[in-house]
Amino acid sequence: MSTVIVVGLQWGDEGKGKVIDILSERAALIVRSQGGNNAGHTIVAQGREWRFHLIPSGILYPHTTCLICGGVVADPEVLCQEIRSIEERGICLDGRLLLSPYLHLVLPYHRALDLLYEEKRSCDAIGTTGRGIGPCYADKAQRLGIRLGEFVDPEKLEKRLRHVLQLHEVYRMSPTEFAPLFEACLHWGKQLSRYVAPAETRLHRALVQGQAVLFEGAHGTFLDLTYGTYPFVTSSTTLSSGILAGAGVGPTWADEVLGVVKAYTTRVGHGPLPTELMAREQALFGDRREMREVGTTTGRERRIGWFDAFATRFAIHLNGVTQAALTKLDILDSLDEIKICTKYRLDGEVVEEFPVLVEDLYRVVPEYECVPGWRRDTSVCKKMEDLPKEARRYLQRIEELCQIPIHILSVGPDRSQTLWLRQTAEVG
Ligand code: IMP
């Protein structure tokens, strides 16, 4: 298998970072193609912790080339910082990090607008990461975006930025002063210019040559702009199809779609989470920090819910998932009993389709199946046979309900805490 798309099947934070990190070892090329620095993941490698927002974490392997393709929106300040901090830790990026000239820039006025909209929405706020992602994608669709190709060319940038700021006056937004912003852009542009390269051409060449390519999805299925729990979603397409579109690649190039799903469910920000724990269940899961359930990007505590097989089935369909990775099984180690949501009811009736409207999603009553817990430490397990039989039963039930084979199981943050349950998930 040469081309794998890794996609989150819940509300983001499924533990994709670790799965991508492991698969990257065998990949020649790693591609990021949607979202921006609203995403983030933490990797623990050789006892060191690394946080990534824009640059694929696969950069930690010296043999890889990492591409940030046209579908991404990148905050130049954050990107410059990330490049600097990676280089300071001894990783060489020259010729290994390629930034597409098609990608759009998130500028300070996008961040300001993001916060302003949230403030105006008041109690209907989305709970965005405040990174300017929505306003940047809105500008892109409005044909008011600034792409890296022009950003790194002072003459083109000046013309474009003047034009954009002039048109922004239509919104009567607090006017942005041209000169200081232009200065800042020149500074960022100068730093980024050496990385600008025809990333999409490089990707196409790699695919034609049959090299192992890993597409690193950001966020999660239910944050998708179209099929997520709108309007409590992000502003990009988070599905496998959007990942390919953002990379400028047609659907026939994908060999496998690996869906990553947590052994339970989490969500940050506002919006419906049908299987959210009831007040009396909260204490069962303990401290969010110990569970590593604090957002990498904003430091917010994540909301917790039981595994939702009904939603996961829909996510599998939306992404064309061919195999799954189940993460954070160890977090359930201390529970006496574990719940799996098998269906929703609305006004007493079984719901056939995943609800379109958030008003319905807030009202659905999940129906649960209870399975016994294992009350043993799974974080030390190295193979399927080491797992307690109750844990194996839990995995089997998820496979049955979701109709998807689990190929990878994660039982802790370290690379070594990974079980390969079937072999075909490997890249390469
Ligand atoms: P935005 O992407 O900053 O506009 O935020 C929109 C919604 O998506 C908010 O609820 C965020 O918390 C959520 N969100 C965006 N990116 C991620 C992610 O990578 N993981 C989890 N939630 C995210």
Side-chain angles (χ1 to χ4, degrees):
M1 155 193 350
S2 60
T3 314
V4 177
I5 306 175
V6 176
V7 67
L9 299 184
Q10 294 160 321
W11 277 269
D13 308 316
E14 294 92 351
K16 294 181 295 297
K18 180 184 158 178
V19 174
I20 289 164
D21 174 50
I22 289 166
L23 295 178
S24 295
E25 193 175 359
R26 294 164 195 143
L29 229 66
I30 300 143
V31 181
R32 172 84 194 272
S33 62
Q34 32 81 238
N37 66 303
N38 48 346
H41 52 251
T42 309
I43 301 287
V44 180
Q46 284 127 21
R48 293 169 86 187
E49 195 177 278
W50 302 77
R51 280 162 195 256
F52 294 91
H53 295 288
L54 286 161
I55 298 175
S57 55
I59 201 79
L60 297 182
Y61 294 100
H63 67 275
T64 59
T65 301
C66 293
L67 314 181
I68 304 187
C69 286
V72 167
V73 294
D75 183 322
E77 194 177 0
V78 174
L79 187 52
C80 289
Q81 269 167 13
E82 207 162 301
I83 289 173
R84 216 176 310 126
S85 83
I86 293 175
E87 282 180 334
E88 274 168 14
R89 292 175 83 172
I91 309 261
C92 173
L93 297 182
D94 281 338
R96 299 188 53 224
L97 175 67
L98 272 60
L99 306 178
S100 165
Y102 286 97
L103 70 76
H104 280 245
L105 279 317
V106 182
L107 293 176
Y109 50 76
H110 292 128
R111 281 197 306 253
L113 254 184
D114 196 0
L115 299 177
L116 270 176
Y117 274 127
E118 284 290 86
E119 205 179 294
K120 280 263 179 235
R121 282 188 181 112
S122 176
C123 48
D124 293 323
I126 310 275
T128 72
T129 57
R131 302 300 192 258
I133 306 301
C136 181
Y137 274 117
D139 264 0
K140 176 179 176 177
Q142 194 63 271
R143 278 73 36 104
L144 284 179
I146 298 184
R147 297 185 296 172
L148 189 59
E150 54 212 357
F151 191 77
V152 293
D153 179 329
E155 223 171 277
K156 293 197 177 69
L157 172 66
E158 178 173 5
K159 197 165 156 226
R160 185 77 185 147
L161 189 58
R162 279 193 196 284
H163 174 72
V164 168
L165 295 188
Q166 207 172 30
L167 280 164
H168 273 173
E169 284 166 16
V170 167
Y171 296 116
R172 292 175 185 277
M173 57 180 283
S174 53
T176 308
E177 233 191 288
F178 173 80
L181 178 58
F182 182 57
E183 276 305 307
C185 290
L186 285 178
H187 170 71
W188 295 322
K190 214 167 151 189
Q191 291 179 62
L192 296 178
S193 61
R194 69 189 172 115
Y195 299 106
V196 182
E200 286 78 5
T201 309
R202 174 78 177 80
L203 171 58
H204 192 244
R205 202 183 328 133
L207 290 167
V208 170
Q209 288 170 354
Q211 291 182 24
V213 177
L214 185 65
F215 290 91
E216 155 174 335
H219 324 296
T221 297
F222 293 103
L223 292 173
D224 180 70
L225 183 57
T226 306
Y227 293 103
T229 50
Y230 192 91
F232 299 98
V233 292
T234 190
S235 301
S236 60
T237 309
T238 62
L239 308 179
S240 54
S241 47
I243 292 167
L244 289 178
V249 159
T252 42
W253 284 110
D255 291 316
E256 296 285 340
V257 179
L258 176 67
V260 184
V261 68
K262 243 178 223 177
Y264 48 98
T265 313
T266 61
R267 173 166 204 167
V268 276
H270 308 157
L273 178 60
T275 61
E276 190 156 15
L277 300 181
M278 291 195 255
R280 65 184 157 75
E281 293 173 325
Q282 292 285 345
L284 292 176
F285 277 77
D287 183 72
R288 298 290 183 274
R289 282 185 191 275
E290 275 172 31
M291 290 169 73
R292 307 181 305 279
E293 290 302 358
V294 178
T296 307
T297 303
T298 57
R300 292 179 289 182
E301 286 197 357
R302 296 176 187 143
R303 296 153 61 194
I304 312 281
W306 297 108
F307 187 87
D308 188 339
F310 184 65
T312 307
R313 274 203 301 272
F314 184 45
I316 288 168
H317 162 86
L318 287 170
N319 289 289
V321 174
T322 55
Q323 51 186 257
L326 192 101
T327 62
K328 300 188 86 162
L329 185 77
D330 54 303
I331 299 295
L332 304 180
D333 284 353
S334 60
L335 299 182
D336 289 324
E337 195 175 58
I338 301 167
K339 290 193 201 172
I340 306 176
C341 167
T342 54
K343 51 170 95 87
Y344 300 162
R345 280 185 191 274
L346 190 61
D347 300 324
E349 298 291 321
V350 173
V351 174
E352 298 292 340
E353 316 290 337
F354 191 80
V356 176
L357 304 179
V358 284
E359 290 80 355
D360 288 340
L361 272 169
Y362 280 127
R363 289 198 312 117
V364 292
V365 179
E367 224 167 85
Y368 292 105
E369 196 175 289
C370 290
V371 297
W374 41 93
R375 298 196 58 84
R376 265 175 51 201
D377 181 9
T378 57
S379 70
V380 292
C381 295
K382 299 285 174 220
K383 51 188 190 309
M384 186 67 141
E385 298 75 55
D386 298 342
L387 291 170
K389 71 174 188 319
E390 294 84 358
R392 274 183 273 154
R393 177 77 195 118
Y394 185 60
L395 300 182
Q396 192 192 344
R397 196 62 194 125
I398 288 175
E399 285 189 327
E400 284 164 7
L401 287 166
C402 299
Q403 291 167 16
I404 199 78
I406 300 172
H407 283 235
I408 299 173
L409 176 68
S410 172
V411 291
D414 202 79
R415 281 178 183 167
S416 64
Q417 292 171 301
T418 310
L419 283 70
W420 294 83
L421 306 183
R422 295 177 171 88
Q423 280 307 310
T424 52
E426 293 178 18
V427 187

